[in-house]
Amino acid sequence: MAGNIVSYAERAFDTFDERPFSSVDSLILAWFSYFHLNGAFEGAAAGEALALTRLYRSELFDEMFRDFWDAPSTLRLFAAVTASRRFRDMRALHYVESFDSAEEKQFAAVSFQLTDNLAYVAFRGTDSSLIGWKEDFSMAFKSPVPAQESAARYLSDTAKHLRGALLVGGHSKGGNLAVYAAAECDRAVQDRIVRVYSHDGPGFLESVLQSDAFRRIADRIEKTLPQSSVVGMLLEHQERYSIVRSNRVSFLQHDPFSWQVEGGSFVPFSHLTSDALYLDHTISAWLAQLSEADRERFVDALFDILSANDISTVDEWKADWPKNVPAAVRALSQMNPDTKTFLGHTLHELAALSVKNFPELLGRPALSAGRRVAETKGEKP
């Protein structure tokens, strides 16, 4: 019977010398980048590498797992990794967390020295802040966004303190940051990178994919998507990807604890499901109709509405939605007429494409792993 990353960590007794690093290991370390480790690193010397046991024994779990959607599973994973012969000797270092509402940036990263000759750099995905979500949406019209610039600087700077070959990865936006950082970091650092892992990370603007920097790293990218991926199918792609089985549905498959693991590897799935294709095709067609300036205008207006009533996080929205929904409606009503007309027209176009594409996509053949990149390049899959 298939398990997940928790059961895998609980049974991982072989070292990295005995069994090579895998994409399952990467997803675990990518998830660790979501930990809020400021308290655990408090009092540590600058650049000091901390043992996992020290982080665990700090028992700052309420702080570490703040805003996690599955804190119990995360704590169980943390305990398993700390005890595992495979992971327990690695050291964490160079934890950074940066949030800037003026710059509209949400960024965090942490690195791990796995062995004397292998290190992993993990980038955090989006947290619950509206600023973090807005930065994600901004990728549809802007490159680089502030977090991408921070990721490239972090990788270039931190690699100087890491030994051996480099692995780089992240989940969700963290996967996008990992790819961008690997492409744009110092060339001497880039030469040390052996693999870049993007776990359900969104794609890029076409200009990024056509750059020499991206081409230099493209053959080292390993992308994994659940079968009904939503986030990982956003924007344009040229990374080849594999599809893994999740035991949840639709957007809930973004949860890494739902990804199935068996025999030390992800359980493969043969194709992307029709709902993933439907959303991908509809959103891609919708974005293609909008200029980059209109994409920016739409995102700014949308988040002006969502942040009404001084809301700053998704959790605050959900916690008091009876007050927040009327506040959002008021914010919309108070916008200037041109902006309201623009929003209405843009959303109408999205709705029209949703209706138009639904029967078309129901009749499409399933998209298997790697097929989209072949279509992008004009090749036969």
Side-chain angles (χ1 to χ4, degrees), residues 211-233:
S211 68
D212 291 339
F214 180 86
R215 291 192 180 102
R216 285 196 299 269
I217 202 70
D219 63 351
R220 286 173 269 179
I221 299 171
E222 182 175 316
K223 185 164 186 171
T224 47
L225 303 172
Q227 72 265 21
S228 295
S229 173
V230 176
V231 177
M233 293 297 288

Side-chain angles (χ1 to χ4, degrees), residues 86-376:
R86 185 168 181 80
F87 298 102
R88 67 190 179 198
D89 291 331
M90 70 182 187
R91 298 288 190 271
L93 66 160
H94 289 275
Y95 172 75
V96 298
E97 186 173 16
S98 176
F99 182 87
D100 190 324
S101 57
E103 194 179 1
E104 296 184 344
K105 180 180 74 172
Q106 172 256 317
F107 173 76
V110 64
S111 295
F112 299 94
Q113 190 69 54
L114 306 180
T115 67
D116 287 339
N117 54 18
L118 185 64
Y120 185 97
V121 178
F123 293 103
R124 181 184 296 175
T126 310
D127 60 16
S128 66
S129 68
L130 289 183
I131 289 296
W133 281 93
K134 186 176 183 182
E135 187 177 38
D136 289 357
F137 277 61
S138 297
M139 291 179 180
F141 61 82
K142 179 181 179 181
S143 182
V145 297
Q148 289 173 332
E149 294 178 313
S150 292
R153 286 195 300 270
Y154 175 90
L155 180 56
S156 294
D157 293 343
T158 301
K160 301 170 186 176
H161 307 281
L162 299 172
R163 301 188 303 277
L166 298 176
L167 305 167
V168 188
H171 167 262
S172 191
K173 181 178 77 173
N176 175 285
L177 299 184
V179 173
Y180 186 88
E184 296 291 344
C185 66
D186 294 343
R187 289 295 294 273
V189 173
Q190 191 178 74
D191 290 343
R192 294 168 57 192
I193 297 172
V194 295
R195 188 71 64 196
V196 185
Y197 298 91
S198 177
H199 301 291
D200 208 24
F204 296 89
L205 294 175
E206 186 65 25
S207 58
V208 177
L209 300 178
Q210 296 302 323
S211 68
D212 291 339
F214 180 86
R215 291 192 180 102
R216 285 196 299 269
I217 202 70
D219 63 351
R220 286 173 269 179
I221 299 171
E222 182 175 316
K223 185 164 186 171
T224 47
L225 303 172
Q227 72 265 21
S228 295
S229 173
V230 176
V231 177
M233 293 297 288
L234 295 174
L235 300 178
E236 300 297 327
H237 295 264
Q238 284 185 350
E239 312 108 315
R240 291 194 176 273
Y241 56 77
S242 58
I243 303 168
V244 304
R245 182 183 294 274
S246 167
N247 61 10
R248 305 192 76 178
V249 298
S250 191
F251 185 79
L252 296 178
Q253 293 186 5
H254 197 52
D255 176 1
F257 294 105
S258 75
W259 293 20
Q260 300 295 277
V261 179
E262 192 169 50
S265 302
F266 289 122
V267 176
F269 199 86
S270 61
H271 61 274
L272 289 169
T273 57
S274 59
D275 56 333
L277 295 177
Y278 169 68
L279 286 171
D280 173 49
H281 187 69
T282 300
I283 293 173
S284 295
W286 180 60
L287 288 174
Q289 294 182 356
L290 299 174
S291 67
E292 290 187 5
D294 281 345
R295 294 179 192 184
E296 181 174 9
R297 185 182 181 188
F298 177 82
V299 170
D300 285 342
L302 175 63
F303 279 87
D304 283 345
I305 294 170
L306 292 176
S307 59
N309 211 27
D310 294 325
I311 298 301
S312 60
T313 70
V314 175
D315 293 332
E316 290 175 7
W317 239 102
K318 293 187 296 184
D320 201 8
W321 65 266
K323 290 183 179 179
N324 295 328
V325 171
V329 173
R330 285 194 301 273
L332 175 61
S333 68
Q334 293 166 4
M335 285 184 165
N336 68 64
D338 286 346
T339 301
K340 283 194 287 187
T341 300
F342 168 75
L343 278 176
H345 174 74
T346 305
L347 291 172
H348 178 269
E349 290 298 313
L350 177 59
L353 283 168
S354 299
V355 173
K356 176 183 177 181
N357 290 336
F358 189 72
E360 174 190 353
L361 286 175
L362 285 180
R364 283 188 164 204
L367 194 63
S368 59
R371 171 133 179 210
R372 180 170 177 172
V373 63
E375 291 181 344
T376 300

